[in-house]
PDB file of all heavy atoms in Angstrom:
ATOM      1  N   MET A 333      33.823 127.456-123.625  1.00 98.00           N
ATOM      2  CA  MET A 333      34.553 126.347-123.014  1.00 98.00           C
ATOM      3  C   MET A 333      34.753 125.166-123.942  1.00 98.00           C
ATOM      4  O   MET A 333      35.064 124.056-123.505  1.00 98.00           O
ATOM      5  CB  MET A 333      33.825 125.891-121.744  1.00 98.00           C
ATOM      6  CG  MET A 333      33.883 126.913-120.622  1.00 98.00           C
ATOM      7  SD  MET A 333      33.224 126.298-119.044  1.00 98.00           S
ATOM      8  CE  MET A 333      31.469 126.485-119.351  1.00 98.00           C
ATOM      9  N   ALA A 334      34.595 125.358-125.243  1.00 98.00           N
ATOM     10  CA  ALA A 334      34.633 124.222-126.174  1.00 98.00           C
ATOM     11  C   ALA A 334      35.953 123.466-126.135  1.00 98.00           C
ATOM     12  O   ALA A 334      35.978 122.233-126.129  1.00 98.00           O
ATOM     13  CB  ALA A 334      34.338 124.704-127.592  1.00 98.00           C
ATOM     14  N   VAL A 335      37.076 124.190-126.132  1.00 98.00           N
ATOM     15  CA  VAL A 335      38.377 123.514-126.102  1.00 98.00           C
ATOM     16  C   VAL A 335      38.582 122.816-124.766  1.00 98.00           C
ATOM     17  O   VAL A 335      39.018 121.654-124.717  1.00 98.00           O
ATOM     18  CB  VAL A 335      39.522 124.512-126.383  1.00 98.00           C
ATOM     19  CG1 VAL A 335      40.877 123.843-126.171  1.00 98.00           C
ATOM     20  CG2 VAL A 335      39.428 125.040-127.814  1.00 98.00           C
ATOM     21  N   ALA A 336      38.277 123.496-123.677  1.00 98.00           N
ATOM     22  CA  ALA A 336      38.428 122.893-122.342  1.00 98.00           C
ATOM     23  C   ALA A 336      37.557 121.650-122.207  1.00 98.00           C
ATOM     24  O   ALA A 336      37.989 120.621-121.660  1.00 98.00           O
ATOM     25  CB  ALA A 336      38.070 123.913-121.263  1.00 98.00           C
ATOM     26  N   ASN A 337      36.334 121.719-122.723  1.00 98.00           N
ATOM     27  CA  ASN A 337      35.442 120.565-122.648  1.00 98.00           C
ATOM     28  C   ASN A 337      35.961 119.405-123.494  1.00 98.00           C
ATOM     29  O   ASN A 337      35.857 118.238-123.106  1.00 98.00           O
ATOM     30  CB  ASN A 337      34.041 120.955-123.110  1.00 98.00           C
ATOM     31  CG  ASN A 337      33.364 121.922-122.155  1.00 98.00           C
ATOM     32  OD1 ASN A 337      33.704 121.986-120.976  1.00 98.00           O
ATOM     33  ND2 ASN A 337      32.411 122.694-122.664  1.00 98.00           N
ATOM     34  N   THR A 338      36.516 119.731-124.648  1.00 98.00           N
ATOM     35  CA  THR A 338      37.067 118.694-125.528  1.00 98.00           C
ATOM     36  C   THR A 338      38.234 117.988-124.852  1.00 98.00           C
ATOM     37  O   THR A 338      38.346 116.753-124.887  1.00 98.00           O
ATOM     38  CB  THR A 338      37.513 119.310-126.861  1.00 98.00           C
ATOM     39  OG1 THR A 338      36.377 119.924-127.503  1.00 98.00           O
ATOM     40  CG2 THR A 338      38.096 118.265-127.793  1.00 98.00           C
ATOM     41  N   ILE A 339      39.104 118.763-124.220  1.00 97.00           N
ATOM     42  CA  ILE A 339      40.248 118.175-123.518  1.00 97.00           C
ATOM     43  C   ILE A 339      39.776 117.331-122.337  1.00 97.00           C
ATOM     44  O   ILE A 339      40.283 116.219-122.109  1.00 97.00           O
ATOM     45  CB  ILE A 339      41.214 119.271-123.056  1.00 97.00           C
ATOM     46  CG1 ILE A 339      41.904 119.901-124.274  1.00 97.00           C
ATOM     47  CG2 ILE A 339      42.253 118.719-122.085  1.00 97.00           C
ATOM     48  CD1 ILE A 339      42.744 121.113-123.955  1.00 97.00           C
ATOM     49  N   SER A 340      38.794 117.813-121.595  1.00 96.00           N
ATOM     50  CA  SER A 340      38.265 117.029-120.476  1.00 96.00           C
ATOM     51  C   SER A 340      37.647 115.728-120.968  1.00 96.00           C
ATOM     52  O   SER A 340      37.803 114.669-120.345  1.00 96.00           O
ATOM     53  CB  SER A 340      37.224 117.838-119.698  1.00 96.00           C
ATOM     54  OG  SER A 340      37.844 118.887-118.984  1.00 96.00           O
ATOM     55  N   GLY A 341      36.952 115.808-122.096  1.00 97.00           N
ATOM     56  CA  GLY A 341      36.384 114.594-122.685  1.00 97.00           C
ATOM     57  C   GLY A 341      37.474 113.609-123.066  1.00 97.00           C
ATOM     58  O   GLY A 341      37.336 112.396-122.863  1.00 97.00           O
ATOM     59  N   ALA A 342      38.569 114.124-123.613  1.00 97.00           N
ATOM     60  CA  ALA A 342      39.695 113.264-123.997  1.00 97.00           C
ATOM     61  C   ALA A 342      40.323 112.625-122.766  1.00 97.00           C
ATOM     62  O   ALA A 342      40.701 111.447-122.783  1.00 97.00           O
ATOM     63  CB  ALA A 342      40.730 114.075-124.765  1.00 97.00           C
ATOM     64  N   GLU A 343      40.450 113.390-121.689  1.00 95.00           N
ATOM     65  CA  GLU A 343      41.003 112.838-120.445  1.00 95.00           C
ATOM     66  C   GLU A 343      40.134 111.697-119.919  1.00 95.00           C
ATOM     67  O   GLU A 343      40.635 110.756-119.301  1.00 95.00           O
ATOM     68  CB  GLU A 343      41.120 113.931-119.389  1.00 95.00           C
ATOM     69  CG  GLU A 343      42.227 114.940-119.657  1.00 95.00           C
ATOM     70  CD  GLU A 343      42.307 116.028-118.591  1.00 95.00           C
ATOM     71  OE1 GLU A 343      41.312 116.224-117.867  1.00 95.00           O
ATOM     72  OE2 GLU A 343      43.365 116.670-118.504  1.00 95.00           O
ATOM     73  N   ALA A 344      38.829 111.782-120.184  1.00 96.00           N
ATOM     74  CA  ALA A 344      37.904 110.742-119.719  1.00 96.00           C
ATOM     75  C   ALA A 344      37.845 109.549-120.660  1.00 96.00           C
ATOM     76  O   ALA A 344      37.189 108.552-120.351  1.00 96.00           O
ATOM     77  CB  ALA A 344      36.509 111.339-119.545  1.00 96.00           C
ATOM     78  N   GLY A 345      38.519 109.668-121.810  1.00 96.00           N
ATOM     79  CA  GLY A 345      38.565 108.521-122.717  1.00 96.00           C
ATOM     80  C   GLY A 345      37.939 108.725-124.077  1.00 96.00           C
ATOM     81  O   GLY A 345      37.871 107.778-124.875  1.00 96.00           O
ATOM     82  N   ALA A 346      37.477 109.944-124.402  1.00 98.00           N
ATOM     83  CA  ALA A 346      36.981 110.196-125.753  1.00 98.00           C
ATOM     84  C   ALA A 346      38.126 110.010-126.741  1.00 98.00           C
ATOM     85  O   ALA A 346      39.237 110.505-126.516  1.00 98.00           O
ATOM     86  CB  ALA A 346      36.409 111.601-125.862  1.00 98.00           C
ATOM     87  N   PHE A 347      37.866 109.313-127.823  1.00 98.00           N
ATOM     88  CA  PHE A 347      38.910 108.977-128.801  1.00 98.00           C
ATOM     89  C   PHE A 347      38.995 110.012-129.917  1.00 98.00           C
ATOM     90  O   PHE A 347      40.071 110.486-130.254  1.00 98.00           O
ATOM     91  CB  PHE A 347      38.643 107.591-129.386  1.00 98.00           C
ATOM     92  CG  PHE A 347      39.582 107.218-130.495  1.00 98.00           C
ATOM     93  CD1 PHE A 347      40.911 106.912-130.227  1.00 98.00           C
ATOM     94  CD2 PHE A 347      39.140 107.175-131.812  1.00 98.00           C
ATOM     95  CE1 PHE A 347      41.780 106.572-131.258  1.00 98.00           C
ATOM     96  CE2 PHE A 347      40.004 106.828-132.843  1.00 98.00           C
ATOM     97  CZ  PHE A 347      41.330 106.519-132.563  1.00 98.00           C
ATOM     98  N   GLN A 348      37.873 110.368-130.504  1.00 98.00           N
ATOM     99  CA  GLN A 348      37.886 111.310-131.631  1.00 98.00           C
ATOM    100  C   GLN A 348      37.426 112.689-131.159  1.00 98.00           C
ATOM    101  O   GLN A 348      36.332 112.839-130.617  1.00 98.00           O
ATOM    102  CB  GLN A 348      36.993 110.813-132.762  1.00 98.00           C
ATOM    103  CG  GLN A 348      37.135 111.623-134.046  1.00 98.00           C
ATOM    104  CD  GLN A 348      36.253 111.093-135.161  1.00 98.00           C
ATOM    105  OE1 GLN A 348      35.097 111.485-135.297  1.00 98.00           O
ATOM    106  NE2 GLN A 348      36.797 110.190-135.975  1.00 98.00           N
ATOM    107  N   LEU A 349      38.276 113.685-131.380  1.00 98.00           N
ATOM    108  CA  LEU A 349      38.018 115.054-130.937  1.00 98.00           C
ATOM    109  C   LEU A 349      37.726 115.924-132.144  1.00 98.00           C
ATOM    110  O   LEU A 349      38.497 115.939-133.108  1.00 98.00           O
ATOM    111  CB  LEU A 349      39.249 115.597-130.182  1.00 98.00           C
ATOM    112  CG  LEU A 349      39.921 114.653-129.188  1.00 98.00           C
ATOM    113  CD1 LEU A 349      41.118 115.334-128.534  1.00 98.00           C
ATOM    114  CD2 LEU A 349      38.927 114.165-128.127  1.00 98.00           C
ATOM    115  N   HIS A 350      36.621 116.666-132.093  1.00 98.00           N
ATOM    116  CA  HIS A 350      36.194 117.461-133.241  1.00 98.00           C
ATOM    117  C   HIS A 350      36.609 118.925-133.082  1.00 98.00           C
ATOM    118  O   HIS A 350      36.483 119.501-131.999  1.00 98.00           O
ATOM    119  CB  HIS A 350      34.683 117.364-133.418  1.00 98.00           C
ATOM    120  CG  HIS A 350      34.216 115.989-133.787  1.00 98.00           C
ATOM    121  ND1 HIS A 350      32.915 115.706-134.132  1.00 98.00           N
ATOM    122  CD2 HIS A 350      34.887 114.812-133.875  1.00 98.00           C
ATOM    123  CE1 HIS A 350      32.802 114.419-134.408  1.00 98.00           C
ATOM    124  NE2 HIS A 350      33.992 113.860-134.245  1.00 98.00           N
ATOM    125  N   THR A 351      37.063 119.515-134.182  1.00 98.00           N
ATOM    126  CA  THR A 351      37.553 120.902-134.160  1.00 98.00           C
ATOM    127  C   THR A 351      37.169 121.623-135.440  1.00 98.00           C
ATOM    128  O   THR A 351      36.770 121.008-136.429  1.00 98.00           O
ATOM    129  CB  THR A 351      39.092 120.940-134.081  1.00 98.00           C
ATOM    130  OG1 THR A 351      39.633 120.331-135.270  1.00 98.00           O
ATOM    131  CG2 THR A 351      39.617 120.218-132.857  1.00 98.00           C
ATOM    132  N   THR A 352      37.318 122.953-135.400  1.00 98.00           N
ATOM    133  CA  THR A 352      37.313 123.760-136.621  1.00 98.00           C
ATOM    134  C   THR A 352      38.473 124.744-136.546  1.00 98.00           C
ATOM    135  O   THR A 352      38.896 125.142-135.462  1.00 98.00           O
ATOM    136  CB  THR A 352      36.002 124.560-136.811  1.00 98.00           C
ATOM    137  OG1 THR A 352      35.838 125.463-135.709  1.00 98.00           O
ATOM    138  CG2 THR A 352      34.796 123.660-136.934  1.00 98.00           C
ATOM    139  N   ILE A 353      38.982 125.113-137.699  1.00 98.00           N
ATOM    140  CA  ILE A 353      40.071 126.088-137.767  1.00 98.00           C
ATOM    141  C   ILE A 353      39.535 127.457-137.355  1.00 98.00           C
ATOM    142  O   ILE A 353      38.447 127.869-137.778  1.00 98.00           O
ATOM    143  CB  ILE A 353      40.641 126.155-139.198  1.00 98.00           C
ATOM    144  CG1 ILE A 353      41.139 124.771-139.618  1.00 98.00           C
ATOM    145  CG2 ILE A 353      41.768 127.176-139.299  1.00 98.00           C
ATOM    146  CD1 ILE A 353      41.189 124.584-141.121  1.00 98.00           C
ATOM    147  N   ASN A 354      40.279 128.140-136.508  1.00 98.00           N
ATOM    148  CA  ASN A 354      39.886 129.442-135.945  1.00 98.00           C
ATOM    149  C   ASN A 354      38.642 129.354-135.070  1.00 98.00           C
ATOM    150  O   ASN A 354      38.096 130.382-134.659  1.00 98.00           O
ATOM    151  CB  ASN A 354      39.680 130.494-137.039  1.00 98.00           C
ATOM    152  CG  ASN A 354      40.960 130.850-137.767  1.00 98.00           C
ATOM    153  OD1 ASN A 354      42.049 130.610-137.266  1.00 98.00           O
ATOM    154  ND2 ASN A 354      40.841 131.434-138.958  1.00 98.00           N
ATOM    155  N   GLY A 355      38.175 128.123-134.820  1.00 98.00           N
ATOM    156  CA  GLY A 355      36.994 127.968-133.977  1.00 98.00           C
ATOM    157  C   GLY A 355      35.709 128.437-134.627  1.00 98.00           C
ATOM    158  O   GLY A 355      34.719 128.699-133.937  1.00 98.00           O
TER     159      GLY A 355
END
Side-chain angles (χ1 to χ4, degrees):
M333 291 188 280
V335 173
N337 292 337
T338 300
I339 291 173
S340 289
E343 288 179 340
F347 174 72
Q348 189 179 89
L349 317 180
H350 294 187
T351 63
T352 61
I353 302 157
N354 294 341

